């Protein structure tokens, strides 16, 4: 499998890619596009909830490397995504203690790649991202992950809250990494079925998500800077999980 994100262009070609269930990261559409074929594409985009962006024609020219794009370019993901419900069932059936990672609209592809790499090294069973507003799995993500993106199950969901409902219904506890709590990471029991939620680089975990998690935890910060890079913070949470599980299980 190639590590390069494939661009396909032309409205008909994109319609066929969607109908064949290709994994599409995003579709770029030319401003002011009209016509029956465009209407057909728009209906498919809406029904499949595919992320889109309306851009000037110059952007499409660069993406397609020619002008024969008919006003539409789609980026095909180099990896296949997993069904979350099936992944949860498979993980529970395996007999191991589930460990999932939920990324609440993380947007930087390098942070995403670094997190995937750490997640693979710490035994995470799957990473959950939202279809819209999340960093794509593209060539830069895979390069930063050192190829771990091909080994780590990644699930896309319509809404992060839907994923949390499903996790909690499966008796998997949820813990959000946030400074909006008095509880330390060292106060949380990670030696149980658990999903760790990391927020976006600028906003953190969405307040509506914070309201529904089982636990909130923060990392102790001893310097003057008020926050860590999200991939570094994620690594600290994952390795605290590893530490607790090794100590208790041995």
């Amino acid at each position: 499998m190639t590590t390069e994100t494939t661009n396909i262009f032309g409205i008909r070609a994109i319609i066929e890619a969607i109908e064949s269930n290709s994994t599409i990261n995003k579709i770029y559409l030319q401003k002011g596009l009209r016509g029956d074929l465009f209407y057909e594409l728009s209906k498919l985009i809406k029904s499949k909830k595919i992320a889109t962006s309306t851009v000037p024609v110059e952007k499409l020219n660069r993406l397609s490397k020619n002008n024969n794009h008919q006003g539409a370019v789609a980026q095909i993901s180099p990896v296949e995504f997993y069904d979350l419900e099936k992944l949860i069932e498979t993980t529970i059936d395996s007999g191991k203690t589930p460990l999932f990672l939920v990324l609440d609209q993380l947007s930087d592809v390098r942070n995403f790649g670094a997190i995937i790499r750490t997640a693979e090294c710490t035994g995470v069973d799957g990473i959950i991202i939202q279809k819209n507003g999340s960093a794509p799995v593209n060539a830069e993500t895979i390069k930063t992950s050192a190829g771990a993106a091909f080994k780590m199950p990644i699930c896309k969901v319509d809404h992060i809250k839907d994923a949390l409902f499903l996790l909690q219904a499966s008796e998997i506890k949820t813990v959000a990494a946030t400074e909006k709590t008095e509880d330390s990471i060292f106060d949380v029991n990670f030696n149980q079925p658990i999903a760790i939620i990391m927020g976006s680089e600028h906003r953190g975990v969405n307040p509506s998500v914070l309201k529904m998690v089982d636990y909130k935890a923060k990392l102790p910060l001893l310097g003057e800077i008020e926050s860590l890079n999200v991939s570094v913070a994620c690594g600290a949470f994952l390795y605290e999980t590893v530490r607790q599980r090794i100590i208790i299980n041995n």
Side-chain angles (χ1 to χ4, degrees):
M1 182 180 293
T2 178
T3 60
E4 293 295 330
T5 300
T6 301
N7 287 346
I8 60 173
F9 49 90
I11 297 176
R12 174 55 64 188
I14 295 172
I15 289 174
E16 291 176 356
I18 297 172
E19 290 178 339
S20 65
N21 295 318
S22 297
T23 302
I24 297 177
N25 273 336
K26 193 170 188 178
I27 297 176
Y28 295 90
L29 300 172
Q30 183 177 327
K31 291 181 179 178
L33 203 60
R34 297 288 186 273
D36 293 340
L37 207 55
F38 171 69
Y39 178 67
E40 183 181 346
L41 174 60
S42 297
K43 287 198 300 182
L44 275 174
I45 290 171
K46 185 175 182 179
S47 66
K48 298 290 186 179
K49 298 180 180 178
I50 300 170
T52 62
S53 181
T54 303
V55 298
V57 66
E58 290 80 9
K59 169 81 171 180
L60 298 176
N61 291 342
R62 289 195 300 272
L63 289 172
S64 63
K65 297 181 181 180
N66 61 49
N67 298 330
N68 191 28
H69 47 67
Q70 298 178 307
V73 175
Q75 291 185 334
I76 306 294
S77 174
V79 301
E80 294 297 324
F81 294 97
Y82 286 66
D83 178 82
L84 178 57
E85 187 170 1
K86 290 181 181 177
L87 183 60
I88 291 173
E89 290 176 0
T90 301
T91 303
I92 292 173
D93 290 344
S94 72
K96 67 172 295 188
T97 304
L99 173 58
F100 288 93
L101 183 60
V102 181
L103 304 181
D104 183 13
Q105 295 191 303
L106 189 83
S107 59
D108 186 277
V109 292
R110 292 180 180 84
N111 281 334
F112 190 18
I115 286 172
I116 294 172
R117 185 175 184 174
T118 304
E120 200 281 330
C121 290
T122 52
V124 169
D125 297 298
I127 295 176
I128 302 161
I129 62 175
Q130 189 164 292
K131 288 181 179 178
N132 292 321
S134 296
V137 181
N138 59 19
E140 189 67 32
T141 310
I142 291 172
K143 180 180 178 182
T144 310
S145 79
F150 293 124
K151 301 176 182 294
M152 172 58 54
I154 300 174
C155 305
K156 275 190 174 184
V157 296
D158 291 333
H159 302 288
I160 293 298
K161 290 192 288 186
D162 294 338
L164 298 191
F165 279 125
L166 185 56
L167 289 162
Q168 291 170 332
S170 302
E171 299 185 346
I172 297 172
K173 298 295 185 181
T174 55
V175 54
T178 176
E179 294 303 304
K180 299 174 183 178
T181 181
E182 296 302 317
D183 296 327
S184 164
I185 184 176
F186 307 119
D187 297 325
V188 177
N189 174 19
F190 289 96
N191 191 36
Q192 60 178 323
I194 206 156
I196 299 169
I197 300 100
M198 305 300 301
S200 66
E201 292 86 351
H202 305 294
R203 185 191 62 193
V205 178
N206 193 300
S208 64
V209 171
L210 286 176
K211 290 179 181 178
M212 62 180 296
V213 299
D214 297 297
Y215 310 107
K216 301 172 189 174
K218 65 180 179 179
L219 290 163
L221 299 175
L222 307 182
E224 296 182 6
I225 296 177
E226 296 181 352
S227 65
L228 290 167
N229 171 277
V230 64
S231 67
V232 174
C234 184
F237 270 79
L238 289 174
Y239 269 100
E240 173 59 15
T241 304
V242 171
R243 186 193 71 82
Q244 288 189 22
R245 293 184 176 190
I246 288 176
I247 290 175
I248 293 174
N249 295 330
N250 290 340

